[in-house]
Amino acid sequence: MPLMLISSLRSRFLLALGGVLLMALLALMMIGKWIVLPALLAEERSLVSQQLDRLERSLALNQEQLLAQVRDWATWDDTYEFVQDAYPRYAEVNFSQNMFEEMGYHLMVFFDSDKEVHWIAGLDPQSGRYASCSEADDSCRWAAPYIRPLQASLANDPSEGRSDVYTQPSLAIIASNPILRTDESGPAQGWLFKVRHMDDEFTNMMEAHTGLAVTFDTAAADTEIPSSYTIDEGIILARRLLPSAQDHSMLSLGTLFDRDNYRASFTTFVYALLWTGGLMLLVIATVLLLLERMVLQPLRALTRFTKQLEPYQLNLHLGPRLSHRLRNRNDEIGSLAREFEAQLLRQEQLTDELRELSTHDALTGLPNRRFFDAKLNEAVDAARDTSRPLSVMMLDIDHFKLFNDHYGHPRGDLCLKEVADCMKHHCEPHGVTIARTGGEEFSAILLHQPAQDAIRFAQELCNSIAEMAYPHDFSPVASHLTVSIGVASYIHNETRDASALMSAADEALYQAKNAGRNRVMLYDKTQPINAASVYTHE
Ligand SMILES: Nc1nc2c(ncn2[C@@H]2O[C@H](COP(=O)(O)OP(=O)(O)OP(=O)(O)O)[C@@H](O)[C@H]2O)c(=O)[nH]1
């Protein structure tokens, strides 16, 4: 059964198209895995990188602004005088809680030309209170951790203004500039530092400017990966390490990136995959439907037609005809059906010819022994069943060997043919079946004829042949062709079968020959040979 299922065209097409569908889906999945998804990821990384670039630029801008501010203060005659103790009210006049809050930075440290702290002013990061002192103690103690790193930076070329990121003691951007006169003439009388903490306020300001989520962190200086991407529930945590003024650590600038685009593209791709699969299924179903309607149904109709013809031995004249729908199709199946029908007709014709050849004699066209035997068996059965009379006769041309010997075999053939025609003309109108059952021997079935009628008929036949006056100059019987006929009739409860009936006719023929030929003899089992009824032509 499973083999039958696979051997049907429908199953094969289903398997083949299913295989194609699977291959196509597999190919799409491979394209998705190795081409589409990597491209989406690359695009996403590029977007994340652009986002980090923006943050980096925004940070640099803030550093530049702080540097501009520090440069503004450091190249000012008042400041110049202040670090030389020539302007005692400088701090009182210029620094205030409001000023720091408004400017956004948290600490200002003035160093004199000996690189010693001259003044500190700013907001305590813990309490937010303003303090202004000449040393980092008492109310300015909170500023003490900044002094050493700032002093350390003075050792590295402090001659120009600069702005750096510091990670210690807290994350901050710090800008510095040498203290010069307003016209920027020297010599420098010290350095001014401004510190802006990278606190929540700074973060919020960056986020407001860039529209991006920002995180700041400290990373060890030996961290090897400059950028990292961590995916957490549809959000990418991207980090980029930036150098700080302190060798032992770096600033880790981070942003959060929503993977909406990636997810949308991925979902679109999955939809495309599903739609492709669905469409291909639809195509397969349509192909199978068309196959069913255009190929399988007509083929089944052709098979049905052949099966219906079987009981009629594929005979188109007896069985059903090919349907108009099949015959009138213009496609290959129509051609197949028409060709099939034509083949059947040819075969039928051949079968008729073979049947004719197998039941008829080629020379005379008369039925042959096979045909005669079959007919005789039927006739004997019918006579037995119906008790109606039945006779047979066996006819042999007299001295035909002499005819052949003298006129030649071809003339003999011609003679056989003409005698056969004569017998046919004589027998057919009377419903008598005459057959060539031997070389120059013929047999006939006389249905429903009792012995006397059969003898009369045989005699008439004998006369007809004699009347042909077919020359046979070498016959010892007559100058023309003559025949001898043995007649036998079916006798109820006595005649065993067809063979026995023909043996009786043969016996009568034998007697006719012995009696001098050119005569008819009826078989009579009660009579000795010499006493058999003899009917001569004369
Ligand atoms: N030309 C021809 N001769 C045939 C054919 N079939 C048989 N014969 C010949 O018919 C002859 C029959 O000869 P025999 O059986 O000796 O009998 P006969 O010469 O007819 O003599 P009786 O039958 O005794 O009168 C043979 O010579 C066969 O060759 C045939 O198809 N064509």
Side-chain angles (χ1 to χ4, degrees), residues 363 396-402 404-405 408-413 416 436 438-440 513 517:
L363 178 69
D396 189 280
I397 299 174
D398 296 330
H399 295 296
F400 195 58
K401 182 175 182 317
L402 286 176
N404 268 336
D405 290 348
H409 216 264
R411 285 274 307 271
D413 281 353
L416 282 173
R436 187 183 178 199
E440 27 64 276
K513 291 277 183 185
R517 298 180 174 80

Side-chain angles (χ1 to χ4, degrees), residues 287-304:
V287 168
L288 285 180
L289 194 75
L290 290 177
L291 176 80
E292 177 71 27
R293 295 195 61 129
M294 296 170 76
V295 180
L296 298 181
Q297 275 181 8
L299 283 181
R300 274 200 290 274
L302 201 57
T303 310
R304 222 173 16 251

Side-chain angles (χ1 to χ4, degrees), residues 370-385:
R370 181 201 301 262
F371 183 90
F372 180 82
D373 285 350
K375 282 276 176 204
L376 183 63
N377 279 325
E378 283 173 23
V380 168
D381 288 347
R384 186 182 298 124
D385 295 345

Side-chain angles (χ1 to χ4, degrees), residues 257-270:
F257 183 86
D258 208 322
R259 306 189 77 204
D260 282 351
N261 274 349
Y262 173 83
R263 278 190 305 223
S265 304
F266 184 76
T267 310
T268 308
F269 176 71
V270 170

Side-chain angles (χ1 to χ4, degrees), residues 37-101:
L37 291 187
L40 287 178
L41 283 173
E43 188 190 347
E44 189 180 61
R45 287 205 163 206
S46 154
L47 286 174
V48 173
S49 180
Q50 286 172 20
Q51 198 159 308
L52 284 171
D53 289 346
R54 272 172 67 194
L55 287 182
E56 204 178 325
R57 281 198 300 276
S58 175
L59 182 64
L61 197 68
N62 276 291
Q63 284 181 269
E64 279 171 24
Q65 281 173 355
L66 191 63
L67 180 60
Q69 287 171 354
V70 87
R71 190 170 283 145
D72 194 33
W73 278 70
T75 52
W76 185 23
D77 289 342
D78 287 6
T79 308
Y80 199 73
E81 288 172 15
F82 172 59
V83 287
Q84 294 177 82
D85 292 328
Y87 189 174
R89 291 190 61 240
Y90 178 88
E92 189 187 328
V93 170
N94 292 301
F95 305 148
S96 70
Q97 173 103 21
N98 269 354
M99 186 277 283
F100 279 101
E101 283 174 355

